[in-house]
Amino acid sequence: QAEVNQKVWEATRELKESRSEMEAPAWVHAAAELNRTLGSFPMPDGNTVELLPGYAQSVRAMTAAVREAREYVNVEFYIMARDEVTGELFEALREAAGRGVTVRLLFVHIGTLRVAGYRKFLRWLRGSGIQWHRMLPILPGQGQWRRIDLRNHRKILVVDGRVAFTGSQNLIEPGYRRPSSRRTGRQWVELMARLEGPIVTALNVVFATDWYSETDELLAQELFIPANVPENGPMTCQVVPSGPGFQAENNLRLFNTLIYSATERLSICSPYFVPDDSLLYAITTAAQRGV
């Protein structure tokens, strides 16, 4: 991971230090500078962001984008399953590969292994024409072994460097194919975003780093910001990669910076809330000072 991080830094250090023209308090730009220092990515203006709160809605939007692919589709999700909700998307990926589009796919071994129908899914992948790999595989018989407590929770889909999707949703029906979920009617609630503009390339670079980690194939053509990516929207965005491979605790430092900068309101929504002392102090301090 350290080698990957260095390559990303080398690929992005020549980028112009885009000082966003967004009107915002100074602490917003200071947080962006922190992210640039820790994660390498600038904060570009000129993006379009569409939030997709519906589970089936986001799958339909991703399917439509894949069907328009001409060069490549990069797909990376923690958990995947080919089922009644995602089947059309996987079929679109197979069709894209069949017409000559490069389709790369990553999923976390442990996360997907536990889903009903995993072996059938692997058989389908082997005949699909898609280039696929397990992330953090635990396959001792093949000489592949990782710490079993580590996961890669990224959810990214990029089409031709033109449009990207990211958010919290896995590629699986919202009950996760669990009989208990179906009996009780329980479903996961997720939020995805469809993005266009310069931010798409940053997400593509994150995918490329994970692809390199698992395959030793460096997608050099995707480790830079192309000059021809149009600025086509009003949104300012920044990608902040994080995880065990980043010793500086990128996300934690960002969260604490934002929380200590809050003056009026703080809203937190996360399925994983296990704060360390620094984050807990930041949150309780914000409450104590009237936020």
Side-chain angles (χ1 to χ4, degrees), residues 195-265:
L195 306 107
E196 294 185 49
I199 199 64
V200 172
T201 301
L203 287 168
N204 216 20
V205 169
V206 174
F207 173 89
T209 65
D210 287 338
W211 185 262
Y212 180 59
S213 293
E214 298 300 344
T215 68
D216 291 328
E217 178 188 1
L218 184 62
L219 304 178
Q221 75 279 11
E222 295 171 30
L223 287 176
F224 65 96
I225 304 294
N228 61 353
V229 173
E231 294 189 2
N232 62 358
M235 301 300 294
T236 298
C237 302
Q238 189 174 33
V239 168
V240 185
S242 67
F246 293 86
Q247 296 181 356
E249 294 274 15
N250 299 11
N251 269 358
L252 178 61
R253 290 178 187 269
L254 171 60
F255 295 156
N256 283 343
T257 295
L258 296 177
I259 292 168
Y260 277 117
S261 300
T263 59
E264 298 178 12
R265 183 181 66 221

Side-chain angles (χ1 to χ4, degrees), residues 81-99:
R82 185 167 164 264
D83 53 42
E84 64 274 16
V85 173
T86 64
E88 189 175 0
L89 173 56
F90 281 108
E91 185 60 23
L93 292 170
R94 186 191 66 79
E95 291 172 355
R99 65 174 184 270

Side-chain angles (χ1 to χ4, degrees), residues 47-51 192-196 199 233-237:
N47 302 285
T48 298
V49 180
E50 177 188 1
L51 296 181
M192 293 290 284
R194 182 186 187 278
L195 306 107
E196 294 185 49
I199 199 64
M235 301 300 294
T236 298
C237 302

Side-chain angles (χ1 to χ4, degrees), residues 255-256 258-259 265-275 279-280 282-284 286:
F255 295 156
N256 283 343
L258 296 177
I259 292 168
R265 183 181 66 221
L266 175 64
S267 301
I268 300 174
C269 180
S270 174
Y272 307 109
F273 185 68
V274 188
L279 186 62
L280 192 59
I283 293 170
T284 54

